[in-house]
Amino acid sequence: MTILPVTPDPSISEDLLAAGRKAYDLDREHVFHSWSAQRTITPMTVVKTEGPYIWDGQGHQLIDFSCQLINTNIGHSHPKVVAAIQEQAADIATINPAHVNAARSEAARLVADLAPGDLNHVFFTNAGADAVEHAVRMARVHTGRPKVLSAYRAYHGGTDLAFALTADPRRNPVDTATAGVAHFMPSYPYRSYFNAATEQEESERALAHLEQTILLEGPQSIAAVILESVPGTAGIYVPPAGYLQGVRELTRTYGILFIADEVMVGFGRTGQWFAVNHWGVEPDLLTFAKGVNSGYVPLGGVALSDAVYETFAETPYPGGLTYSGHPLACAAAVATLTAMQDEGMVANAARLGEEIIGPRLREIFEAHPCVGDVRGLGAFWAVELVKNRETKEPMATYGGSSPEMNELVAECKKLGLLPFQNMNRIHVAPPLNAPDEVVRHGLDILDQALAVTDRYVTG
């Protein structure tokens, strides 16, 4: 069945559309956008959000397969979370983080209870980037060592140290070769840097490379290795069997801390509360944000192991934030995590991946020569687009987009789907509680839209 272009939703009032037009004009006059050349963009206006949907400035209803920046894990405007924010604002809207407040205490308890291993203490931040900043600071003070190793293709945040740890091309224009950061090649089975033919070879060779990097940099100088448990922005490439366990063993062998960056994948995105749970790995520090409260109010944090906590039990931690554990954000986290538990969203994410998204994407792979690879877990998948399956020539160059990818995104939106596009990939990341029929319809739209990029296949 051919899917027709969406038409304006009659339930969206002219007053709301007019407000959207005014917002767009003011945006173009005053707002400075991230990652953008300001005069070249025409940002999409959003006038309404609800559940798995958003409505654009023309009143078109779009399925949100991006979860915005892969953070609205429970969908938009979940009534229990909205009510919790409203109730908290009427009680304690903000408070000095030196003072105890019930929302922060309960949020910390929930995170600690869900986290793997002995991550029993939580330091709250404002977002994922400063969670990474503080996790590295904790590791450096705990070990007395300066260096941190991170993988190429990683994304760890846009603040200074987090951006230095980041190793995708957006860092390059402002890179000052920040002291104390060294990079290594990641395990990436589809585009193996190690000429691996099997997952076992990929894991073994990637671990050998990491160990050589540790030895060459000097283990006695390295405080931590930081890794995204499943790299997100870089392409949702699931680590091969044995890789994360091997990284964990290497860090233990050389007395280095392991920081699991779960900012994007934490809180159910991959079908487990934390992605490291798929491999039974227990990190020393774990960073989180996004899904902890579905992004309704900015919140991030670091979960600390008991050993790292003891470093600061009698010695002050040299760091803090005015809004650490903000009551509105923590109330949203409590309501979000409670709703996720009550409504079985994590198990549902696993089911969506196993029964709907994975099988349907494999059908799409077979149907479209422009699809080089599909991969993922839970409600977290990537469709990697190529011009040639044999050479794996990407549909967009690393670090950029392309007219072909822009055309594909435009076709998706025309048919009623808001995708997450990065470089030559479409990421499939619906809310964890999206109804089956909505997920299926979104995948059907993607299937039809990919005819656009099939035209650019050269072999």
Side-chain angles (χ1 to χ4, degrees), residues 87 94 163 192 321:
E87 291 167 9
T94 189
F163 210 34
S192 174
L321 297 157

Side-chain angles (χ1 to χ4, degrees), residues 340-352:
M340 291 179 71
Q341 291 174 318
D342 291 347
E343 298 173 30
M345 292 189 205
V346 179
N348 192 60
R351 184 190 62 81
L352 286 174

Side-chain angles (χ1 to χ4, degrees), residues 1-5 415-416 441 444-446 448:
M1 183 181 69
T2 300
I3 298 169
L4 300 176
L415 298 175
H441 185 54
D444 288 344
I445 291 173
L446 178 61
Q448 180 172 318

Side-chain angles (χ1 to χ4, degrees), residues 31-345:
V31 175
F32 193 92
H33 284 255
S34 57
W35 310 117
S36 301
Q38 303 303 304
R39 290 198 182 99
T40 67
I41 58 174
T42 52
M44 182 177 70
T45 301
V46 176
V47 298
K48 180 183 176 181
T49 65
E50 184 177 344
Y53 299 108
I54 68 149
W55 284 259
D56 69 12
Q58 288 73 49
H60 299 127
Q61 183 189 66
L62 306 176
I63 299 170
D64 190 357
F65 255 31
S66 69
C67 274
Q68 296 308 288
L69 288 173
I70 311 188
N71 58 341
T72 55
N73 285 11
I74 63 170
H76 296 281
S77 304
H78 193 292
K80 292 180 180 177
V81 183
V82 171
I85 295 169
Q86 292 170 333
E87 291 167 9
Q88 184 64 47
D91 184 12
I92 301 174
T94 189
I95 200 72
N96 182 330
H99 305 315
V100 174
N101 72 84
R104 183 178 64 179
S105 297
E106 180 62 7
R109 182 194 70 79
L110 283 167
V111 172
D113 283 354
L114 294 169
D118 64 347
L119 302 176
N120 294 315
H121 297 85
V122 178
F123 175 74
F124 286 110
T125 64
N126 301 322
D130 50 352
V132 168
E133 297 270 348
H134 283 279
V136 169
R137 187 180 304 179
M138 292 169 184
R140 285 173 166 167
V141 175
H142 175 76
T143 62
R145 301 171 179 178
K147 289 184 184 177
V148 181
L149 303 187
S150 67
Y152 284 106
R153 301 184 66 94
Y155 184 81
H156 294 293
T159 52
D160 190 57
L161 174 58
F163 210 34
L165 291 164
T166 290
D168 80 14
R170 286 175 292 180
R171 183 195 80 236
N172 296 341
V174 294
D175 188 15
T176 55
T178 302
V181 172
H183 295 105
F184 60 93
M185 289 298 186
S187 169
Y188 182 10
Y190 179 63
R191 297 183 182 275
S192 174
Y193 294 105
F194 311 105
N195 298 311
T198 66
E199 283 209 358
Q200 182 178 347
E201 284 185 353
E202 178 72 12
S203 181
E204 291 172 352
R205 294 176 186 183
L207 289 169
H209 163 72
L210 175 56
E211 184 166 25
Q212 286 300 309
T213 304
I214 290 170
L215 293 171
L216 290 168
E217 289 291 338
Q220 71 283 355
S221 70
I222 301 170
V225 171
I226 184 169
L227 270 179
E228 297 169 274
S229 306
V230 178
T233 303
I236 310 183
Y237 45 92
V238 179
Y243 181 68
L244 277 188
Q245 297 97 319
V247 172
R248 172 75 272 201
E249 286 307 308
L250 284 174
T251 58
R252 288 197 176 105
T253 297
Y254 292 104
I256 298 167
L257 297 190
F258 177 51
I259 304 172
D261 184 338
E262 294 257 347
V263 168
M264 188 172 284
V265 294
F267 301 101
R269 176 53 59 185
T270 67
Q272 291 275 357
W273 278 104
F274 294 96
V276 288
N277 294 351
H278 288 285
W279 300 280
V281 170
E282 297 179 0
D284 300 293
L285 294 155
L286 182 148
T287 62
F288 63 87
K290 294 184 183 283
V292 68
N293 64 6
S294 216
Y296 285 26
V297 182
L299 183 66
V302 184
L304 298 77
S305 66
D306 289 343
V308 177
Y309 169 81
E310 284 301 323
T311 294
F312 306 104
E314 305 295 336
T315 301
Y317 172 62
L321 297 157
T322 297
Y323 301 115
S324 176
H326 193 283
L328 296 184
C330 286
V334 171
T336 295
L337 299 179
T338 302
M340 291 179 71
Q341 291 174 318
D342 291 347
E343 298 173 30
M345 292 189 205

